[in-house]
Amino acid sequence: MASNLNASTLLGLNRREVTALVEQAGQPAYRAQQIMDGVYRERVRSFEQMSTLPRPFREDLAQGGFVVGSPEIEQRFLSRDGTVRYLVAFGDGESVETVWMPEGDGGEADGETEAGDSAEMIAGAGRASRGWDRATICISSQVGCAVDCQFCLTALLGVKRNLTAGEIVGQVLAVLSDQKVSPQHDRINLVFMGMGEPFLNYDNFMKAVRLLVQEVGLAESRMTVSTAGIVPRIHDFGQEAIRPRLAISLNASNDDLRTRLMPLNRKWNLERLLAAAREFPLRTRERVTFEYVLLHNVNDRRENAEEVVELLRGMRSRVNLIALNPGPGIDFVTPAAESVAAFQKILRDAGILTFVRRPRGRDIYAACGQLKRTVAIMPAEERSS
Ligand code: SAH
């Protein structure tokens, strides 16, 4: 809200920073824990709601220019497949999109998570009445994006600014509250695959990750970050003690094609990108995911699939194929289901674990590559699937 323009937000502060704040205010150390619990677990939106803190301390905080700093849900778009696209607004009036994707009744395995699903599946059976037993939240890391991938709607916005760690965490909290769920009781996956390039906002992204794991209570094994291929940050990311799984947007099978589709390939070409992926220190049972957006007659031919096989040979990888999600201003065509299946078969026959991503929320412009703060839904005649 505009009134919070110059305020410091508690949301985004880590335990060390909150402890310093509490000490400065001459308060006992345990107040830090109360603030952390209030902000990240109870998801309070104002000091009023922090009833564990004495009123004078709350007043001090307010007078010191502090606010909780929760973002506002400005709009919701509901897809017929259950996906919800949220327009989430921050203190300076900028906004991003955050997407909620509930998953089936246990029947629609998406293969995204690889650990511990079957036991929880049984525990989650009682939840079938609400129509889902796990859900994925897709969050944004920047307002707009600077990377300029030719098939992506977010690219058309350019980049406005980075999100702070508090704004990244705030999207998750806003959606959890709106859906009335919590990571303590519900199976929540997180993907950093919304607007923006997380590895071009690396420090804020990583601070948000640590807060989400250590304070909000989400499991790092249930988080995935996708990068367009910022090679030096892939190396840094491999050294992090707490980190999500890694996904890389491959999207092309040779340098000429990739440079045409993703101009950043000029800076970090396939050789450098795949070297970084090969050197990436994987954990037990972990794989690097490669995303590949299929564009009709551009990168979806047999030769392309064969080149991908060569690129990924011997790597502990999985491939997620995504048929192009269409949008206004995007000059590519979505391939037919048969050519997607044929592409998948070539990879699978070569021993590469390959999945086809089911599009989510295409009708409300919520699917991969469609996040552009569109305040509309798709005309019925264009909803091909
Ligand atoms: N900037 C990061 C995070 C975004 S992830 C990255 O590029 O990885 C979004 C995913 O959607 C990427 O894998 C991207 O290649 C894919 N994508 C972009 N535009 C798309 C479109 N129109 N249809 C389908 N997938 C698309």
Side-chain angles (χ1 to χ4, degrees):
M1 279 175 298
S3 59
N4 297 342
L5 218 48
N6 297 311
S8 314
T9 68
L10 291 185
L11 195 57
L13 299 186
N14 59 29
R15 193 167 288 270
R16 187 174 43 75
E17 291 162 329
V18 169
T19 302
L21 187 72
V22 164
E23 267 173 28
Q24 249 173 25
Q27 292 285 328
Y30 63 84
R31 298 269 179 242
Q33 183 66 44
Q34 292 175 326
I35 292 179
M36 295 307 275
D37 284 346
V39 171
Y40 295 106
R41 300 264 168 171
E42 293 150 37
R43 307 195 290 259
V44 302
R45 301 178 57 86
S46 70
F47 296 141
E48 273 311 290
Q49 295 171 295
M50 280 204 218
S51 50
T52 51
L53 299 184
R55 186 161 295 279
F57 182 33
R58 286 186 256 168
E59 282 163 6
D60 281 356
L61 284 171
Q63 266 160 24
F66 280 98
V67 293
V68 176
S70 321
E72 300 284 331
I73 292 177
E74 218 168 55
Q75 264 183 303
R76 292 175 187 76
F77 301 89
L78 178 62
S79 166
R80 51 192 177 149
D81 70 14
T83 300
V84 183
R85 177 166 64 96
Y86 290 95
L87 202 58
V88 177
F90 306 111
D92 65 349
E94 289 295 348
S95 58
V96 295
E97 299 191 328
T98 311
V99 183
W100 167 260
M101 293 171 280
E103 294 284 341
D105 287 316
E108 298 171 84
D110 70 345
E112 190 67 74
T113 51
E114 282 149 31
D117 272 8
S118 48
E120 287 177 67
M121 210 81 101
I122 296 158
R127 303 185 176 283
S129 56
R130 70 184 174 185
W132 60 276
D133 62 14
R134 66 185 183 285
T136 301
I137 303 175
C138 177
I139 58 184
S140 294
S141 54
Q142 298 180 305
V143 181
C145 189
V147 178
D148 204 24
C149 301
Q150 299 299 297
F151 42 79
C152 179
L153 275 178
T154 308
L156 301 176
L157 299 173
V159 69
K160 279 288 260 302
R161 67 170 176 84
N162 282 336
L163 295 188
T164 63
E167 289 169 335
I168 296 172
V169 175
Q171 294 170 64
V172 179
L173 301 186
V175 171
L176 292 175
S177 294
D178 193 63
Q179 295 290 335
K180 302 188 171 56
V181 296
S182 76
Q184 282 69 37
H185 299 109
D186 306 278
R187 278 168 58 199
I188 308 291
N189 300 317
L190 213 66
V191 294
F192 294 86
M193 300 190 184
M195 298 169 76
E197 167 50 50
F199 282 9
L200 290 179
N201 184 18
Y202 187 80
D203 292 343
N204 292 342
F205 152 70
M206 277 309 306
K207 186 179 188 191
V209 164
R210 289 186 286 266
L211 289 170
L212 288 164
V213 171
Q214 295 174 325
E215 308 303 338
V216 180
L218 286 147
E220 59 187 312
S221 61
R222 294 197 174 280
M223 296 182 184
T224 305
V225 63
S226 177
T227 179
I230 314 296
V231 167
R233 295 293 86 75
I234 295 176
H235 290 293
D236 295 343
F237 187 63
Q239 304 308 308
E240 300 286 353
I242 295 177
R243 63 158 177 83
R245 296 168 184 269
L246 175 66
I248 294 175
S249 296
L250 184 63
N251 295 339
S253 58
N254 61 63
D255 275 318
D256 283 350
L257 191 53
R258 194 163 190 271
T259 299
R260 185 144 69 83
L261 300 175
M262 302 176 71
L264 100 165
N265 192 66
R266 247 179 240 121
K267 191 154 182 185
W268 295 294
N269 64 15
L270 282 173
E271 189 185 338
R272 295 187 62 189
L273 180 63
L274 292 164
R278 281 178 201 281
E279 287 162 21
F280 191 75
L282 291 168
R283 297 173 180 165
T284 319
R285 301 188 67 217
E286 193 184 5
R287 295 167 184 268
V288 178
T289 296
F290 290 93
E291 297 136 296
Y292 195 100
V293 183
L294 288 163
L295 311 168
H296 174 63
N297 262 341
V298 173
N299 68 355
D300 70 338
R301 302 161 195 248
R302 156 169 289 276
E303 307 86 84
N304 301 114
E306 288 164 353
E307 283 177 334
V308 169
V309 168
E310 289 313 312
L311 291 176
L312 303 187
R313 193 173 289 288
M315 229 190 280
R316 232 159 80 201
S317 64
R318 59 174 275 158
V319 173
N320 283 340
L321 300 174
I322 317 170
L324 175 78
N325 293 310
I330 299 299
D331 288 333
F332 295 100
V333 175
T334 307
E338 302 81 70
S339 48
V340 175
F343 200 97
Q344 179 185 30
K345 183 165 189 311
I346 294 169
L347 269 57
R348 284 201 163 167
D349 287 351
I352 299 175
L353 192 63
T354 309
F355 300 90
V356 177
R357 302 300 295 178
R358 184 166 46 99
R360 297 299 307 265
R362 258 193 199 170
D363 55 337
I364 54 162
Y365 293 108
C368 300
Q370 292 188 312
L371 302 184
K372 199 200 155 211
R373 299 185 295 189
T374 308
V375 189
I377 62 168
M378 196 175 277
E381 61 273 21
E382 287 172 27
R383 299 177 189 176
S384 49
S385 68

